[in-house]
């Protein structure tokens, strides 16, 4: 059973990069009939809010990616404490007292000597008496995890292939601060163990964390999940843009982007598979293969999303938008090929039902359009009426092409472009069409 999780911190709204991470985990679980868990990484109690947590739930809901379960790190503090105790007893975690200033100084000295600024583990030399003295002075320890070259630090990344870190080149990570608050690293591992997570897909900014966390799984005596690290998104210009951090579901929604368009684009971005204008999840799930993600950064282009959204709408069935449009199925089918958002379809509703402002026709088109009204009045008003009308006018006037069609389109819709007139005219109806042509 595949179990994945999406683990945002509720310290802000989801941006497009988070949405992609959620989607990859959702696809992996859903495709295999597994479970997809929302884990709120809310150990930072000062910055985490219920409002952001709710916006994350709402965004996932809107995207059609509601999780099977929700977990909150803030509810699991006792468990983290328990595991830290066991790790400390086994020598995998230790207390240290250096202040940020002292640590900074150590780093500067090492850098000054041209050495990597790796923590010197001075705290490992502290005796029981030292600890007692510090505590008597009121100094509280922070906790570090002891990296160990003998513990696993290599993995076969689902996306990047064989990967590793060098534990000796890294400082033992601080896992708990002196004020008792937790850093992300260890709680995440404890959660992945306790929640039975089988696959972790996240951004490549977490690659080093993975090497460290592999050591933590081993120190807990637990198997690690499989890991995949997706290359980061860039803006359309290929640069890591600030703008991406501010684009999220509310922007998509405001711009009339459909959830399926977001999924269709993000599921294929950075993969060898083409982006396709699908109208449901099924084809995305069927074709999803995490190994198709490449190592190069993927470009997220807002204009591409808008184009994809339009081409998806062009064959979206009425049933998928019912409740969000006042158009009937016939009206929707007639106009969907000409809209960039569902909301835009309402403009065509007005075109179909009026009232329309009288269009400005070329001088010699006035009489032509009035002749058209007479011709239309004599024709049976059925689904073939547009073809019959234009055939009749062609033989009667000798007009063809644009000269034949454009004055009629302008008079009937008030616009020079739009949906196929053969589909629109029956919807406009006989009386209204005669009125517009006669006007
Ligand atoms: N809260 C972490 C983040 O948003 C989770 C990383 C992970 O997936 O383990 O970066």
């Amino acid at each position: 059973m595949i179990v994945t999780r999406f683990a945002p911190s509720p310290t802000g709204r989801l941006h497009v990069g988070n949405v992609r991470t959620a989607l990859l985990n959702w696809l992996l679980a859903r495709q295999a009939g597994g479970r997809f868990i929302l884990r709120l990484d809310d150990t930072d109690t000062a910055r985490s809010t219920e409002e952001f947590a709710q916006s994350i739930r709402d965004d996932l809901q809107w995207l059609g990616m509601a999780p099977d379960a929700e977990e909150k790190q803030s509810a699991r503090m006792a468990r983290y404490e328990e595991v830290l105790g066991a790790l400390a007893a086994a020598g995998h975690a230790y207390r240290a007292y250096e202040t940020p200033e002292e640590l900074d100084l150590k780093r500067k000295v090492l850098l000054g000597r041209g050495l990597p600024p790796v923590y010197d583990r001075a705290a490992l030399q502290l005796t029981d008496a030292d600890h007692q003295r510090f505590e008597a002075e009121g100094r509280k320890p922070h906790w570090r995890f002891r990296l160990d070259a003998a513990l696993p630090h290599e993995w076969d990344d689902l996306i990047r292939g064989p990967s590793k870190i060098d534990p000796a080149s890294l400082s033992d990570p601080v896992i708990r601060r002196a004020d008792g608050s937790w850093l992300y690293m260890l709680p995440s591992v404890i959660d992945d163990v306790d929640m039975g997570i089988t696959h972790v897909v996240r951004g490549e900014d977490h690659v080093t964390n993975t090497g460290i966390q592999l050591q933590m799984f081993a120190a807990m005596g637990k198997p690690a999940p499989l890991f995949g690290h997706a290359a980061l998104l860039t803006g359309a210009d290929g640069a890591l843009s600030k703008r991406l951090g501010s684009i999220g579901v509310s922007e998509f929604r405001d711009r009339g982007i459909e959830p399926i368009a977001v999924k269709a684009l993000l599921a294929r971005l950075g993969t060898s598979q083409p982006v396709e204008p699908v109208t449901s999840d099924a084809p995305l799930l069927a074709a999803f293969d995490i190994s198709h993600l490449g190592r190069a950064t993927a470009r997220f282009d807002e204009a591409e999303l808008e184009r994809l959204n339009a081409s998806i709408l062009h064959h979206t069935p009425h049933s998928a938008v019912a409740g969000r449009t006042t158009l009937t199925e016939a009206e929707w089918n007639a106009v969907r090929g000409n809209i960039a958002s569902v909301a835009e379809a309402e403009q065509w509703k007005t075109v179909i039902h009026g009232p329309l402002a009288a269009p400005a026709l070329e001088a010699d088109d006035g009489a032509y359009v009035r002749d058209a009204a007479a011709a239309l009045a004599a024709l049976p008003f059925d689904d073939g009426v547009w073809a019959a009308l234009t055939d009749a006018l062609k033989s009667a006037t000798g007009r063809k092409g644009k000269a034949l069609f454009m004055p009629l389109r302008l008079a009937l819709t008030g616009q020079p472009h739009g949906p196929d007139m053969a589909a629109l005219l029956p919807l406009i109806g006989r009386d209204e069409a005669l009125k517009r042509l006669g006007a």
Side-chain angles (χ1 to χ4, degrees):
M1 163 88 123
I2 289 192
V3 185
T4 65
R5 85 304 194 270
F6 171 51
S9 293
T11 54
R13 302 189 61 102
L14 299 184
H15 55 71
V16 61
N18 303 131
V19 171
R20 179 177 183 231
T21 301
L23 174 65
L24 296 176
N25 284 286
W26 179 86
L27 285 167
L28 201 56
R30 281 287 169 277
Q31 180 186 53
R35 279 165 60 76
F36 171 64
I37 296 175
L38 170 62
R39 187 186 85 200
L40 295 168
D41 284 4
D42 58 352
T43 54
D44 182 347
T45 48
R47 292 172 58 231
S48 300
T49 69
E50 175 51 31
E51 202 186 330
F52 285 133
Q54 191 54 45
S55 78
I56 290 169
R57 292 180 198 112
D58 292 346
D59 286 355
L60 292 178
Q61 184 75 39
W62 183 82
L63 287 159
M65 304 198 303
D68 298 306
E70 178 182 311
E71 301 280 354
K72 264 189 167 161
Q73 292 195 320
S74 56
R76 294 175 42 76
M77 299 294 172
R79 172 66 178 145
Y80 304 152
E81 187 105 36
E82 175 191 329
V83 174
L84 177 61
L87 292 178
H92 292 299
Y94 62 93
R95 289 169 292 174
Y97 299 83
E98 292 92 344
T99 63
E101 296 72 31
E102 286 166 345
L103 291 171
D104 202 41
L105 188 63
K106 286 185 189 223
R107 269 194 297 271
K108 283 190 178 132
V109 169
L110 288 170
L111 286 170
R113 289 204 224 127
L115 296 169
V118 175
Y119 175 60
D120 62 7
R121 292 181 164 166
L124 279 178
Q125 310 306 322
L126 298 175
T127 61
D128 285 351
D130 293 328
H131 285 293
Q132 278 161 19
R133 183 167 45 82
F134 282 138
E135 288 193 10
E137 286 170 11
R139 290 179 79 166
K140 295 261 183 284
H142 54 269
W143 287 85
R144 287 185 186 262
F145 178 82
R146 187 176 178 169
L147 297 173
D148 183 348
L151 289 176
H153 50 276
E154 299 187 1
W155 72 100
D156 194 7
D157 197 284
L158 297 166
I159 297 167
R160 297 161 61 89
S163 305
K164 62 179 175 199
I165 59 152
D166 171 13
S169 71
L170 299 170
S171 295
D172 291 337
V174 174
I175 49 182
R176 193 179 195 184
R177 298 186 191 89
D179 66 3
S181 63
W182 293 94
L183 284 110
Y184 149 78
M185 204 73 89
L186 180 63
S188 179
V189 168
I190 300 171
D191 291 345
D192 288 341
V193 167
D194 291 354
M195 295 164 200
I197 303 303
T198 59
H199 294 66
V200 172
V201 180
R202 54 192 182 185
E204 68 180 5
D205 48 329
H206 282 287
V207 165
T208 304
N209 290 347
T210 295
I212 295 171
Q213 290 179 324
L214 281 180
Q215 303 230 309
M216 294 177 172
F217 285 102
M220 282 179 72
K222 301 292 182 185
L226 298 174
F227 285 92
H229 295 87
L232 301 182
L233 294 184
T234 67
D237 57 358
L240 290 166
S241 78
K242 231 188 166 130
R243 164 128 185 92
L244 282 192
S246 69
I247 311 178
V249 163
S250 51
E251 286 69 33
F252 296 150
R253 208 184 325 209
D254 291 351
R255 283 153 67 177
I257 303 290
E258 298 294 305
I260 188 64
V262 177
K263 284 156 122 173
L265 180 62
L266 293 181
R268 300 287 169 86
L269 223 52
T271 76
S272 46
Q273 296 168 294
V275 174
E276 290 164 323
V278 299
T279 57
S280 75
D281 295 335
L284 299 178
L285 286 164
F288 180 67
D289 183 342
I290 187 93
S291 70
H292 285 152
L293 279 149
R295 294 190 59 154
T297 54
R299 279 171 201 238
F300 173 75
D301 181 347
E302 296 172 72
E304 182 182 11
L305 180 59
E306 276 171 3
R307 284 193 300 272
L308 176 65
N309 192 57
S311 58
I312 286 174
L313 286 174
H314 296 173
H315 58 274
T316 292
H318 185 255
S319 58
V321 294
R324 293 197 292 138
T325 177
T326 64
L327 277 72
T328 64
E329 183 168 4
E331 290 167 350
W332 173 258
N333 289 343
V335 312
R336 65 183 173 181
N338 288 77
I339 55 174
S341 69
V342 173
E344 221 179 282
E346 299 303 319
Q347 297 169 16
W348 291 109
K349 180 105 185 169
T350 311
V351 167
I352 291 168
H353 296 280
L356 286 191
L361 293 176
E362 303 281 328
D364 59 339
D365 285 341
Y368 167 62
V369 163
R370 277 188 296 279
D371 289 349
L376 181 63
L379 290 168
F381 200 87
D382 55 21
D383 282 353
V385 67
W386 174 254
L389 175 65
T390 48
D391 281 351
L393 290 171
K394 193 177 192 173
S395 28
T397 66
R399 285 185 182 233
K400 51 187 198 248
K402 210 172 155 199
L404 176 68
F405 298 110
M406 190 54 81
L408 301 177
R409 177 180 284 283
L410 274 172
L412 287 166
T413 70
Q415 305 194 32
H417 307 287
D420 183 9
M421 287 305 303
L424 273 190
L425 183 51
L427 294 171
I428 292 170
R430 184 174 191 274
D431 293 348
E432 181 68 19
L434 287 174
K435 204 168 98 193
R436 292 182 192 179
L437 292 172

